[in-house]
Amino acid sequence: LPVDVIMFALRSPSLLISTAFRRAPKIPPAMLGRRIDCVSGTGTDNNNVNLQQQQVRNYGRTCPAVRGQAAKKKRAASSGAESSKTMNEYSTTAIIADAPSPTSTSTGGASEAMTVASIANLKVAMDGTEPTMEIAKSMPISFKSMDNISLLTLSALKVEQARAEMLRRHIMTVDNVPYAEACRKFEEIAAENRKGMLFHTIPYKLGITAALGGGVLSVPLCFHLPTVHWFNERFVTTDIPEPQDLETWLEVGSWAWNWMEPPLGQISFFLLCLQFARAQIANMGVRPYTARMKAMRAKKIVAIYPQYDATLLSNYSKSVTYY
């Protein structure tokens, strides 16, 4: 503790000096010796008022009057008509502004502009605190009624239904077929993707069976007198206590715990070591069994359907659960 106090005392002057220099406002040489109003930006002399105003804008961030005036302008702007727009409207407006004009580009540009316009129709502004009937009617109630941007966002969040809908629309564009035909093709891909899942889930089912079986059997092996007697005769062969010492199930458990404690403790420690090893494997970036199986499944789907985008197929295949 005294060493920490001495080190802090030695560091305090340097900390104070660095803080003072860091917080000190930077004043350009042209403004030295000149009194400038923070709000209006005019000085006592009449030299180049525009230059002074520019310098105030650049270096006046530390001035409370400038910050207060900026805050008032921001509140006034937010209370106007622009504040009624939602984030979706702002993103849609930016997309429309960046979209190529049909007159200045080829047919591809026209189709892109039409797509952006159709997306803009789905964005409805909320003028009040409660949704209107127009807003309620414009809300998509399924993934197939969502726009491409929403599907792309949900797909990045690894939502299986969103990735499935993106794959359906991709099938429409590649095969040049309607939505119903694309859905039938998608069902074929989904069925092919689920082949072999029974073999992949065998280790999980064995682990579930062993865990549940061991947990259920541990109760009678510790507290049920006939089961404890049978286990002792077959595997332990230790001395049997007096009958008055085995009258309750707790006394039976105290006797059985003499040989049940070592295996149960060892199994618990072994599982703890396995869990720690798996955490270190994940830190190294090594894919566990589940990730390897999903990667193999995705690779198989991409090889079977090479006409479709490999990324969309792989993302959909990896997002599908075993059940």
Side-chain angles (χ1 to χ4, degrees):
L1 182 60
V3 175
D4 295 337
V5 173
I6 295 173
M7 293 299 297
F8 180 77
L10 293 177
R11 291 180 58 188
S12 297
S14 61
L15 291 175
L16 292 175
I17 295 173
S18 61
T19 303
F21 278 102
R22 184 172 64 252
R23 293 183 178 180
K26 297 180 180 180
I27 302 176
M31 298 178 63
L32 294 176
R34 184 178 301 173
R35 183 176 62 85
I36 297 179
D37 189 359
C38 292
V39 178
S40 61
T42 58
T44 54
D45 55 356
N46 296 325
N47 296 331
N48 201 348
V49 177
N50 293 330
L51 178 60
Q52 293 181 5
Q53 292 177 352
Q54 183 65 28
Q55 292 172 343
V56 168
R57 283 193 296 269
N58 294 336
Y59 297 95
R61 293 191 180 94
T62 58
C63 181
V66 175
R67 292 198 303 268
Q69 187 178 14
K72 290 181 180 179
K73 290 182 179 180
K74 186 176 182 180
R75 287 194 297 268
S78 61
S79 62
E82 293 294 332
S83 63
S84 63
K85 292 187 176 181
T86 60
M87 186 62 67
N88 289 334
E89 281 189 298
Y90 283 113
S91 61
T92 305
T93 304
I95 294 173
I96 295 175
D98 295 335
S101 176
T103 58
S104 61
T105 59
S106 60
T107 308
S111 61
E112 292 179 2
M114 292 176 62
T115 304
V116 173
S118 62
I119 294 175
N121 293 332
L122 299 176
K123 315 297 182 180
V124 182
M126 289 189 65
D127 298 330
T129 58
E130 296 181 354
T132 60
M133 183 61 68
E134 182 183 4
I135 295 174
K137 290 181 178 180
S138 64
M139 182 188 69
I141 58 176
S142 62
F143 285 93
K144 67 179 182 180
S145 60
M146 290 183 180
D147 58 272
N148 295 334
I149 297 178
S150 300
L151 286 178
L152 186 62
T153 303
L154 294 175
S155 177
L157 298 175
K158 300 181 180 181
V159 179
E160 177 184 349
Q161 294 83 353
R163 292 184 173 184
E165 182 60 28
M166 288 187 62
L167 184 57
R168 293 190 189 98
R169 299 184 185 185
H170 178 64
I171 295 173
M172 292 176 63
T173 58
V174 173
D175 297 346
N176 195 19
V177 293
Y179 186 77
E181 185 80 15
C183 288
R184 287 191 289 269
K185 188 65 176 180
F186 170 78
E187 294 298 332
E188 175 187 340
I189 297 175
E192 186 68 29
N193 185 58
R194 298 195 68 86
K195 288 183 179 180
M197 283 193 176
L198 179 62
F199 174 75
H200 294 170
T201 56
I202 288 178
Y204 302 110
K205 294 177 180 178
L206 291 178
I208 293 172
T209 303
L212 293 178
V216 173
L217 291 177
S218 64
V219 177
L221 287 173
C222 286
F223 303 105
H224 188 242
L225 183 58
T227 306
V228 171
H229 270 300
W230 174 84
F231 191 85
N232 180 44
E233 294 175 359
R234 296 295 188 279
F235 304 101
V236 183
T237 66
T238 188
D239 295 335
I240 301 176
E242 297 295 331
Q244 61 270 16
D245 295 334
L246 299 176
E247 294 178 351
T248 63
W249 61 277
L250 290 176
E251 291 178 339
V252 174
S254 178
W255 173 45
W257 195 248
N258 292 324
W259 65 80
M260 291 297 293
E261 182 179 10
L264 292 180
Q266 178 59 33
I267 292 174
S268 301
F269 180 75
F270 179 70
L271 293 177
L272 180 63
C273 293
L274 290 180
Q275 184 178 6
F276 178 78
R278 189 183 187 279
Q280 304 311 312
I281 291 174
N283 292 335
M284 293 174 59
V286 180
R287 293 181 298 179
Y289 174 80
T290 304
R292 287 180 178 272
M293 292 296 103
K294 289 187 175 183
M296 291 174 55
R297 188 176 63 185
K299 186 177 180 180
K300 181 190 70 172
I301 290 296
V302 172
I304 296 175
Y305 301 96
Q307 67 272 26
Y308 302 121
D309 185 74
T311 302
L312 292 179
L313 285 172
S314 179
N315 289 340
Y316 165 73
S317 177
K318 292 178 180 179
S319 62
V320 176
T321 58
Y322 288 111
Y323 287 98

